[in-house]
Amino acid sequence: MDIKLKDFEGPLDLLLHLVSKYQMDIYDVPITEVIEQYLAYVSTLQAMRLEVTGEYMVMASQLMLIKSRKLLPKVAEVTDLEDDLEQDLLSQIEEYRKFKLLGSIWKPSTKNGPSTIPKRRQS
């Protein structure tokens, strides 16, 4: 039985992959569907007896917290905290996307060896 799983650099890389499949603004993506897909991926890794690092499990617990708060009846005080958790996560994914994009821009320039950026001369 051959099973191929895409390698991810970490939990944010997996989340970015799941979010980017929707081809829309990161803040408009249905977060509960992304959470379901993330948890399914982690379950698949566990079922295949692959070692799941602590980073993935911490992210899974944060996603479960967000999902459980979405399922519970809304309470004014809790809603603010829920929005903060979700917005923080989306901001982290967006920031990770930007760094990954910058990394892909710089990566081709390092194929010929390390490059340096000259220091500005002060006049």
Side-chain angles (χ1 to χ4, degrees):
M1 169 161 64
D2 291 333
I3 298 175
K4 291 189 177 184
L5 294 174
K6 182 175 169 146
D7 291 330
F8 296 102
E9 295 175 11
L12 284 176
D13 196 33
L14 171 56
L15 283 172
L16 178 62
H17 171 75
L18 295 173
V19 167
S20 64
K21 291 192 315 188
Y22 287 94
Q23 298 180 349
M24 61 175 63
D25 186 75
I26 194 167
Y27 295 99
D28 295 332
V29 171
I31 192 73
T32 53
E33 291 178 25
V34 172
I35 291 170
E36 288 292 329
Q37 293 170 16
Y38 181 92
L39 295 175
Y41 181 83
V42 170
S43 293
T44 301
L45 291 179
Q46 288 176 329
M48 294 175 55
R49 301 185 193 276
L50 296 176
E51 185 178 320
V52 179
T53 64
E55 295 174 325
Y56 285 92
M57 298 310 287
V58 167
M59 183 62 72
S61 67
Q62 290 175 350
L63 293 172
M64 288 300 292
L65 178 62
I66 291 170
K67 182 178 178 184
S68 65
R69 289 192 175 155
K70 285 193 166 292
L71 295 174
L72 293 173
K74 299 288 183 192
V75 178
E77 295 172 14
V78 176
T79 304
D80 294 338
L81 179 60
E82 174 188 326
D83 290 340
D84 288 347
L85 289 174
E86 189 174 337
Q87 289 303 314
D88 287 346
L89 177 62
L90 293 173
S91 296
Q92 286 178 12
I93 296 170
E94 178 65 20
E95 187 174 341
Y96 180 79
R97 183 191 65 78
K98 289 177 185 176
F99 279 105
K100 192 164 181 157
L101 179 63
L102 287 172
S104 68
I105 292 170
W106 280 77
K107 190 175 186 175
S109 67
T110 60
K111 284 184 179 178
N112 298 330
S115 61
T116 58
I117 300 172
K119 201 175 188 181
R120 279 177 123 184
R121 290 186 180 178
Q122 294 181 351
S123 306

